[in-house]
């Protein structure tokens, strides 16, 4: 990274500024209000907060700070819509609605990608992947809406027993900031397919793409079927999770807050789906294709600037290939381009907020204090053109104790810890020795190694010779403290229904 504060750095810095102003003018949503009952409304308190562009540090937009009374209004509107309109929607109508949402997002996909990149800081090339997945997930759940069936249960000649999969009515959804629109699609798709109406709370760091979604699809979705309340976690998220009239809560975020949500939901015995943190192992066998394995490792940890709950943040490399693999990996990581996320050439953008930078840097400091070795990174870039942004360099840490808190806890940044192994059982014990169990990767040319490791790793998602691949239809969710329930698949629709059993006596 250049340390030279030359005119060209100044020029690049102002080019970034200009590019972001122009993009914001093009793609910001027109409405920054709450969306309740099909109308854009102010919060009851009238309070607002700013969402910032993490690349330039500038305010992007001011949005409403919704609170408990706004959640009450939204829940009422959602029940009204459920009782008066949506509970009568046929599965064909739900399918058509979800398909049209997909079409409308697809028609504006570049604008959505730019907005996501502005608000979150993710590289535009990755934001485009997010939006294509948003479109595909809405289409997938449009299909699932029609393939959703109850059962007839065989007992004996004296009765007929049937089950019906009924919607809950109104569900609450709490969205994180790392994949704002994609996480919304993962939740809205199955909830709407199953016949529920929704109150959704975007993350306070990244509310804009969900507001834009409602601008684009407000006339596709009947009034009150989807309600959006922007606001802070404690003010708007907690009242949503503990609301008596919410019949199911789906949350994606940190394990600490997931536990809070679970406690709040417990108050009224509300069903929950939780997709929480991770500290996922990536295991490299000595027979792996080295070049492919290096590239997959880069994707595993640096995709979305490491702000990925399933990031492969603990690397286990076999000692036979350790020297060559780590040297190639460190070179590839150091070569990644840290730059304006709106540029196609950028590999890593800024972290979402200054607070998140501090969080990541404090883990890096903890590792440094323990005398770990940094193979690359471990700091913020000194390129003056990036001085306004929340950047952290891609970081690889070797020779660190597996019990160190930087290893045990989720960093949620571009930081991977490296371990060398020779004995499979010892390695596997270490790989499983964290509180999390969201995902894992296995890199090998041997089908036996792949199967054995996939079976032994305690995690909900195992990628073999790939990583961070999220096709619709593939269930996603965690073991242990990484969560409860599965998303992105038919099973997700099950989570948005309750089973009613009807027993007919035959005379
Ligand atoms: P992070 O720590 O990565 O910011 P969080 O788990 O805090 O992630 O946030 C994820 C989502 O949960 C956000 O929409 C946030 O507003 C919301 N949230 C935060 N605190 C609470 C809470 N106590 N109850 C419900 N939702 C919350």
């Amino acid at each position: 990274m250049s340390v030279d504060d030359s005119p060209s750095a100044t020029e690049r810095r102002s080019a970034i500024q200009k590019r972001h102003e122009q993009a914001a003018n093009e793609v910001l949503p027109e409405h920054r209000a709450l969306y309740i009952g099909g109308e854009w409304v102010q919060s009851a308190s009238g309070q607002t907060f700013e969402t910032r562009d993490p690349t330039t540090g500038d305010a992007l937009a001011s949005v409403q700070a919704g609170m408990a009374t706004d959640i009450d209004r939204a829940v009422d509107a959602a029940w009204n819509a459920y009782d008066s309109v949506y509970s009568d929607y046929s599965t064909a109508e739900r399918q058509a609605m979800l398909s049209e949402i997909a079409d409308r997002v697809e028609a504006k996909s570049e604008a959505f990608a730019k907005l996501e990149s502005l608000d979150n800081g993710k590289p535009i090339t990755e934001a485009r992947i997010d939006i294509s997945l948003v479109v595909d997930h809405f289409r997938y759940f449009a299909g699932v809406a029609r393939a959703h069936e109850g059962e007839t249960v065989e007992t004996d000649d004296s009765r007929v027993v049937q089950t019906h999969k009924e919607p809950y009515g109104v569900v609450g959804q709490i969205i994180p900031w790392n994949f704002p629109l994609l996480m919304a699609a993962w939740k809205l798709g199955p909830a709407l397919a199953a016949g529920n109406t929704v109150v959704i709370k975007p993350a306070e760091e990244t509310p804009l793409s969900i507001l834009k979604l409602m601008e684009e699809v407000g006339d596709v979705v009947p009034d009150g079927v989807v309600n959006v309340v922007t606001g802070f976690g404690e003010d708007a998220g907690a009242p949503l999770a503990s609301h008596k009239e919410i019949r199911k809560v789906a949350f994606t975020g940190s394990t600490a807050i997931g536990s809070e949500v679970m406690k709040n939901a417990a108050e009224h015995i509300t069903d929950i789906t939780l997709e929480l943190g991770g500290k996922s192992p990536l295991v490299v066998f000595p027979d792996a294709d080295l070049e492919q394995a290096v590239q997959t490792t880069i994707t595993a940890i640096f995709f979305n600037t490491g702000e990925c709950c399933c990031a492969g943040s603990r690397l286990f490399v076999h000692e036979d290939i350790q020297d060559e693999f780590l040297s190639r990996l460190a070179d590839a990581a150091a070569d990644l381009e840290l730059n304006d996320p709106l540029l196609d050439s950028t590999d890593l953008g800024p972290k979402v907020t200054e607070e998140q930078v501090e969080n990541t840097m404090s883990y890096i400091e903890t590792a440094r204090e323990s005398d770990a070795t940094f193979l690359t990174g471990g700091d913020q870039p000194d390129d003056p053109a990036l001085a306004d942004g929340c950047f952290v360099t891609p970081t690889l840490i070797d020779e660190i104790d597996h019990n160190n808190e930087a290893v045990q806890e989720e960093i949620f940044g571009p930081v991977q810890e490296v371990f060398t192994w020779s004995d499979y059982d010892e390695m596997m014990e270490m790989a499983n020795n964290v509180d999390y169990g969201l995902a894992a990767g296995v890199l090998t040319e041997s089908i036996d190694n792949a199967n054995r490791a996939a079976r032994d790793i305690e995690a909900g998602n195992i990628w073999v010779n790939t990583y961070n691949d999220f096709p619709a239809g593939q269930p996603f969710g965690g073991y242990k403290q990484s969560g409860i329930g599965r998303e992105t698949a038919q099973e997700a629709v099950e989570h948005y229904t309750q089973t009613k059993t009807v027993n007919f006596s035959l005379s």
Side-chain angles (χ1 to χ4, degrees):
M1 234 99 6
S2 161
V3 278
D4 182 13
D5 193 2
S6 63
S8 88
T10 313
E11 275 166 27
R12 280 190 292 129
R13 188 175 181 170
S14 75
I16 292 173
Q17 195 81 32
K18 248 197 218 138
R19 197 175 298 120
H20 281 241
E21 274 166 26
Q22 194 180 337
N25 284 338
E26 283 168 25
V27 302
L28 280 187
E30 193 185 320
H31 297 280
R32 291 97 191 242
L34 309 179
Y35 189 72
I36 296 179
E39 288 181 8
W40 295 100
V41 295
Q42 305 301 302
S43 61
S45 73
Q47 288 180 35
T48 58
F49 63 98
E50 279 176 344
T51 174
R52 295 195 161 266
D53 179 336
T55 311
T56 62
D58 293 339
L60 266 176
S62 183
V63 297
Q64 298 288 313
M67 301 198 186
T69 44
D70 304 302
I71 293 290
D72 287 345
R73 274 199 291 170
V75 173
D76 282 352
W79 272 115
N80 262 336
Y82 181 77
D83 290 336
S84 62
V85 181
Y86 204 57
S87 52
D88 293 332
Y89 253 45
S90 67
T91 53
E93 286 171 308
R94 292 181 219 157
Q95 178 188 35
M97 184 186 84
L98 286 164
S99 294
E100 196 169 345
I101 295 175
D103 292 347
R104 298 239 186 156
V105 174
E106 190 172 46
K108 299 235 167 131
S109 52
E110 187 62 13
F112 274 109
K114 268 193 192 164
L115 183 59
E116 211 68 312
S117 185
L118 283 176
D119 207 10
N120 165 277
K122 63 175 65 205
I124 186 74
T125 49
E126 293 179 1
R128 288 186 188 121
I129 296 173
D130 282 18
I131 304 306
S132 69
L133 286 171
V134 167
V135 171
D136 193 44
H137 278 80
F138 277 122
R139 289 204 175 119
Y140 173 81
F141 284 112
V144 173
R146 299 298 290 278
H148 185 54
E149 291 160 355
E151 292 173 332
T152 304
V153 182
E154 298 300 335
T155 56
D156 56 39
D157 288 348
S158 69
R159 62 178 82 83
V160 173
V161 178
Q162 293 174 346
T163 63
H164 299 267
K165 299 286 179 180
E166 296 195 336
Y168 277 105
V170 177
V171 302
Q173 305 186 324
I174 301 172
I175 307 297
W177 47 259
N178 57 342
F179 295 91
L181 198 61
L182 183 56
M183 293 303 103
W186 280 17
K187 289 184 170 42
L188 286 171
L192 297 172
N196 300 279
T197 60
V198 178
V199 177
I200 190 164
K201 194 204 84 63
E204 51 270 43
E205 294 85 353
T206 55
L208 298 178
S209 53
I210 295 174
L211 294 178
K212 192 176 181 75
L213 177 74
M214 295 323 298
E215 284 185 352
E216 299 302 333
V217 305
D219 54 347
V220 176
V221 179
D223 293 348
V225 168
V226 179
N227 304 275
V228 181
V229 179
T230 50
F232 291 92
E234 281 192 12
D235 300 335
L240 183 57
S242 61
H243 204 289
K244 188 161 184 284
E245 302 306 329
I246 287 283
R247 298 288 157 79
K248 190 222 161 68
V249 178
F251 169 86
T252 297
S254 60
T255 293
I257 300 294
S259 168
E260 279 296 303
V261 167
M262 197 167 174
K263 281 182 208 143
N264 277 327
E267 200 179 327
H268 300 295
I269 321 293
T270 306
D271 185 32
I272 47 165
T273 299
L274 302 173
E275 202 266 273
L276 307 177
K279 194 76 198 191
S280 301
L282 176 59
V283 177
V284 190
F285 280 85
D287 60 30
D289 173 329
L290 277 202
E291 198 43 48
Q292 194 203 339
V294 166
Q295 284 317 312
T296 306
T297 304
I298 292 284
T299 301
I301 184 59
F302 300 123
F303 178 71
N304 212 45
T305 315
E307 295 175 337
C308 206
C309 46
C310 51
S313 48
R314 292 177 300 135
L315 177 69
F316 294 88
V317 188
H318 193 273
E319 67 176 6
D320 288 356
I321 53 165
Q322 164 197 6
D323 290 343
E324 184 169 2
F325 185 86
L326 292 182
S327 132
R328 286 204 212 180
L329 180 65
D331 287 349
D335 278 350
L336 292 171
E337 184 175 330
L338 217 70
N339 205 342
D340 178 1
L342 287 180
L343 294 175
D344 277 5
S345 58
T346 294
D347 297 306
L348 271 82
K351 298 214 67 201
V352 71
T353 56
E354 207 42 65
E355 191 188 342
Q356 282 296 322
V357 174
E358 281 162 25
N359 193 40
T360 300
M361 292 310 294
S362 81
Y363 280 114
I364 287 176
E365 224 27 66
T366 304
R368 214 185 290 283
E369 280 162 13
S370 78
D371 285 336
T373 303
F374 283 69
L375 301 178
T376 188
D379 46 25
Q380 295 196 256
D382 48 15
D383 179 353
L386 303 182
D388 301 318
C390 301
F391 292 89
V392 175
T393 56
T395 300
L396 298 171
I397 304 176
D398 198 359
E399 288 168 33
I400 184 165
D401 187 332
H402 194 266
N403 291 320
N404 190 297
E405 68 187 51
V407 179
Q408 289 291 317
E409 295 177 15
E410 183 176 44
I411 298 180
F412 224 66
V415 182
Q416 186 180 58
E417 291 101 12
V418 178
F419 303 90
T420 305
W421 64 278
S422 52
D423 180 86
Y424 174 85
D425 292 331
E426 282 173 18
M427 177 275 293
M428 193 49 71
E429 200 180 322
M430 202 182 251
N432 284 329
N433 188 19
V434 286
D435 290 336
Y436 298 109
L438 187 54
V442 181
L443 306 180
T444 178
E445 296 280 280
S446 148
I447 193 101
D448 281 0
N449 286 341
N451 274 311
R452 192 157 151 232
R455 193 177 304 171
D456 290 343
I457 292 169
E458 294 178 76
N461 299 78
I462 316 285
W463 282 293
V464 178
N465 294 328
T466 183
Y467 209 94
N468 283 331
D469 183 31
F470 305 100
Q474 163 188 287
F476 184 82
Y479 280 25
K480 300 197 277 184
Q481 292 186 28
S482 290
I484 296 175
R486 296 292 177 270
E487 298 192 288
T488 67
Q490 195 137 355
E491 193 179 337
V493 179
E494 294 288 314
H495 293 321
Y496 283 98
T497 61
Q498 46 198 345
T499 302
K500 178 177 280 174
T501 304
V502 184
N503 179 323
F504 299 84
S505 172
L506 297 180
S507 48

